[in-house]
Amino acid sequence: MSLPKAATLFLLFFLLLLSSTTTSNAHNITRLLAKYPQFSTFNHYLTTTHLASQINRRQTITVLALDNTAMSSLLAKHYSLYTLKNILSLHVLVDYFGSKKLHRISKRSTLTSTMFQATGAAPGTSGYVNITNLKGGKVGFGAEDNEGKLDATFVKSIKEIPYNISIVQISHALNSDEAEAPTAAPSQLNLTEIMSKQGCKAFADLLTASGADDKFNENMDAGLTVFCPTDGAVKSFMPKYKNLTSSKKVSLLLYHGIPVFMSLQMLKTNNGVMNTLATDGANSYDFSVSNEDEVVSLDTTVVTSKVLGILKEEEPLIVFKINKVLMPKELFKPVVAKEANAPEADAPADSEPADAEDNTNGVQGLGGGRLVMVVLSLWIGILLI
């Protein structure tokens, strides 16, 4: 093999290896199913029961999807939302089963665990699903605690990302006495009490005094992420807060909430623009999420705040502690990057420069220019060997 050819192959291998390190295993079940209107009801209840966020946090998963007709039959039984969550979690397998694997099961039958089993609420093997190859190339599915009955059959594959997520349609909902048993609602979470006890009392008091806490509580059941500034951050911000009108104060406070449950890992893997509780039509009231190493930052274009830790994580609620009050561009003057050799403009008193580096699209810690230099250096080094 000639030297130039060997060097070319080496560089191709290097670039392939580098690109593989930037590939994310993250998936979003809601977005994947949104492309298929016949599964809109199933998709809706995955979100309402907060199963969607749990599915997204799994590295390997198989979703047994029910179309709108199958969901109508299930909903006709009038289960509570919490019981329905158990039933749907039985339709989420914690292993990867693509179409080929389903039709090539060794010994024709296998038991696999589900997210219902993972909750700890399923005694014995009641949280397992039996998958069996039937005559004529059919595949049957049945809950293990259903006396061996196979309630559903494989219809088709909807989406497969080996070996990350597989979404397959089955004909009917799976029956399980344990999953269908009445389930009590979780204990009521008190947002302002949670914040007051863990270093965010000043922000909690502002929520209560302005009435903005009602909006936060209204969104609690559907999923809520709150970014709570520390007492010190709120204290230093109070002179600016007092100058706002009542409606603008409410908007600023609502700006600290996202109307979905976003775990720390989800924030790290879903960098980008986030809408908030204050978002309303033309008023975007959004901010950008980015992360560097293990630090998650929230950039409003006016100020950049960092996530310090988690005060409470109990779905459907998660509360993060942050080091600065989030100031939306709708209420405060954004920071404008200064051009080289340009006269220095007076910086607004209520803003500060955003982080200079916010690289969320390229290789983390390795800019485009540096990447080119690395490749050229390797190329020259090989030719000189």
Side-chain angles (χ1 to χ4, degrees):
M1 183 182 292
S2 64
L3 182 58
K5 190 173 183 179
T8 300
L9 289 174
F10 177 83
L11 280 174
L12 287 173
F13 172 77
F14 170 76
L15 291 173
L16 179 62
L17 179 64
L18 183 61
S19 64
S20 68
T21 62
T22 64
T23 302
S24 172
N25 288 329
H27 50 254
N28 188 310
I29 184 63
T30 304
R31 291 177 186 171
L32 292 174
L33 284 175
K35 300 176 182 179
Y36 306 92
Q38 64 270 38
F39 299 99
S40 59
T41 304
F42 181 76
N43 198 13
H44 168 76
Y45 280 99
L46 287 184
T47 300
T48 304
T49 60
H50 308 296
L51 277 173
S53 59
Q54 295 177 31
I55 291 171
N56 293 341
R57 291 202 296 270
R58 291 275 184 170
Q59 292 294 320
T60 304
I61 210 82
T62 299
V63 179
L64 306 180
L66 303 172
D67 66 11
N68 293 342
T69 300
M71 281 298 297
S72 294
S73 299
L74 181 61
L75 295 174
K77 298 179 181 179
H78 304 291
Y79 294 114
S80 72
L81 186 63
Y82 307 102
T83 298
L84 187 61
K85 179 178 181 178
N86 285 342
I87 295 172
L88 294 182
S89 66
L90 188 67
H91 292 70
V92 184
L93 315 180
V94 292
D95 196 358
Y96 181 86
F97 287 91
S99 178
K100 290 183 179 179
K101 184 176 179 180
L102 286 172
H103 287 89
R104 297 176 182 175
I105 293 174
S106 60
K107 299 182 181 180
R108 296 188 58 191
S109 184
T110 187
L111 276 182
T112 185
S113 183
T114 68
M115 284 186 63
F116 180 47
Q117 180 69 26
T119 63
T125 59
S126 60
Y128 285 78
V129 166
N130 182 347
I131 306 175
T132 301
N133 286 149
L134 305 171
K135 293 180 180 180
K138 292 184 177 181
V139 180
F141 299 82
E144 179 63 8
D145 67 337
N146 195 31
E147 300 178 351
K149 296 178 182 177
L150 300 177
D151 302 306
T153 56
F154 172 85
V155 177
K156 64 182 178 181
S157 174
I158 301 169
K159 181 70 175 179
E160 297 182 17
I161 307 177
Y163 292 89
N164 186 9
I165 184 170
S166 173
I167 307 174
V168 299
Q169 180 185 356
I170 60 174
S171 58
H172 301 87
L174 305 180
N175 295 308
S176 165
D177 290 340
E178 291 295 338
E180 295 165 10
T183 305
S187 57
Q188 184 66 39
L189 297 170
N190 188 315
L191 176 60
T192 53
E193 183 178 343
I194 291 169
M195 292 191 291
S196 295
K197 291 182 177 180
Q198 301 192 57
C200 287
K201 186 178 187 304
F203 187 75
D205 289 344
L206 292 180
L207 290 182
T208 303
S210 66
D213 58 328
D214 290 338
K215 183 74 171 180
F216 280 84
N217 291 328
E218 287 173 8
N219 284 270
M220 188 92 71
D221 289 341
L224 180 64
T225 301
V226 181
F227 298 98
C228 181
T230 63
D231 286 341
V234 173
K235 182 179 180 180
S236 62
F237 179 74
M238 284 307 295
K240 301 180 183 68
Y241 182 80
K242 291 177 180 178
N243 287 331
L244 297 174
T245 64
S246 297
S247 62
K248 289 182 177 180
K249 287 178 181 178
V250 171
S251 294
L252 179 132
L253 296 172
L254 294 179
Y255 189 60
H256 289 73
I258 298 177
V260 291
F261 178 92
M262 295 286 290
S263 68
L264 182 60
Q265 187 59 36
M266 292 170 71
L267 287 176
K268 290 179 179 179
T269 57
N270 290 278
N271 285 185
V273 176
M274 297 284 178
N275 288 334
T276 67
L277 292 176
T279 301
D280 181 19
N283 298 317
S284 59
Y285 279 100
D286 54 30
F287 55 75
S288 297
V289 178
S290 63
N291 65 280
E292 184 175 356
D293 296 327
E294 294 300 312
V295 179
V296 175
S297 298
L298 314 176
D299 183 5
T300 74
T301 73
V302 179
V303 65
T304 299
S305 183
K306 299 186 184 301
V307 173
L308 301 177
I310 300 174
L311 299 184
K312 182 72 173 181
E313 182 175 5
E314 182 179 337
E315 288 199 52
L317 172 69
I318 185 166
V319 183
F320 293 98
K321 181 184 288 188
I322 57 177
N323 69 334
K324 296 177 183 177
V325 173
L326 299 176
M327 292 186 281
K329 57 184 178 293
E330 287 80 3
L331 302 180
F332 301 93
K333 187 176 180 181
V335 173
V336 179
K338 298 177 183 177
E339 296 183 3
N341 301 323
E344 291 190 5
D346 292 333
D350 55 1
S351 65
E352 60 184 55
D355 287 347
E357 296 185 3
D358 184 13
N359 180 16
T360 60
N361 296 319
V363 181
Q364 189 171 2
L366 188 62
R370 291 179 59 195
L371 177 58
V372 171
M373 291 301 296
V374 170
V375 173
L376 289 176
S377 299
L378 283 171
W379 174 267
I380 294 171
I382 293 171
L383 292 177
L384 292 176
I385 295 176

